[in-house]
Amino acid sequence: YNTEDLSFNIIESETIIRKMYLVNDVVYFQKADDGIYKIDNGLANLVTNDKVVQTNEVVNVFWHNEMLLIQTKEKGFYHLVNKELVPWQITASDKLNQVTVYNSIQLEDKSFALGTISNGLIHLTQDGDINYEINQVKGLANNTVLNLFEDVDHNIWLGLDNGINCINLKSPFKIYNDE
């Protein structure tokens, strides 16, 4: 949609457009079984059709270390280098290959909050180390995190499968064991 002349372009797709991602004022999207595209002047331009994005659902796209960082639902993170995806070698890789990430955000401090299906929240440092994990045993109302939001006070709000939780990152307490 062009806000200046009120015109719009329709981007056709033979497959499902899974999700859209805003990175540095550029809109990216994934066509299922196809690739990652960006919108340039109302047209879809292929960014990568690497096998990783053809066979995996992309959860989010970030700007990290001066390049695109693409996060998949079940196979972790990849940096985009010359239209090819290179795995981001981090200590959290093994853990990320064992969980299903449904939603994620990059926080203002450049760390990452990952909402999972059945495994709660995983917080990664900007270098990809697991800072902490919070699940139902450690205080969440539910283990399925469907949405994430960081407010102006740097609290993380979690839209859960059943309810809403808020994590106060400034609190000296991160874990609450409800026994």
Side-chain angles (χ1 to χ4, degrees), residues 28-90:
Y28 295 86
F29 61 93
Q30 179 187 22
K31 287 186 180 183
D33 306 319
D34 186 354
I36 299 286
Y37 291 78
K38 69 178 178 177
I39 299 175
D40 283 327
N41 297 318
L43 301 173
N45 288 323
L46 181 67
V47 174
T48 181
N49 61 352
D50 190 282
K51 185 172 177 132
V52 171
V53 294
Q54 289 181 358
T55 58
N56 293 281
E57 186 174 339
V58 172
V59 173
N60 216 333
V61 178
F62 304 104
W63 187 250
H64 182 261
N65 291 338
E66 301 301 316
M67 63 183 94
L68 285 180
L69 179 66
I70 296 173
Q71 181 188 13
T72 65
K73 190 173 187 176
E74 296 174 327
K75 299 294 182 191
F77 290 93
Y78 295 82
H79 277 112
L80 180 65
V81 180
N82 299 323
K83 293 197 174 203
E84 293 186 16
L85 295 180
V86 178
W88 185 25
Q89 300 298 326
I90 55 175

Side-chain angles (χ1 to χ4, degrees), residues 98-110:
Q98 298 170 8
V99 299
T100 301
V101 177
Y102 187 80
N103 197 341
S104 64
I105 57 173
Q106 187 172 26
L107 304 174
E108 189 174 311
D109 68 358
K110 303 300 180 199

Side-chain angles (χ1 to χ4, degrees), residues 59 71-74 95-105 113-124 130 132-136 140 142-148 158-161:
V59 173
Q71 181 188 13
T72 65
K73 190 173 187 176
E74 296 174 327
K95 178 68 176 183
L96 296 180
N97 288 329
Q98 298 170 8
V99 299
T100 301
V101 177
Y102 187 80
N103 197 341
S104 64
I105 57 173
L114 313 178
T116 70
I117 302 293
S118 301
N119 292 96
L121 176 89
I122 300 171
H123 182 258
L124 301 180
I130 295 176
Y132 54 83
E133 298 177 59
I134 302 178
N135 54 31
Q136 195 167 4
L140 286 186
N142 184 277
N143 276 332
T144 298
V145 181
L146 301 175
N147 206 342
L148 295 161
L158 292 77
L160 306 175
D161 193 29

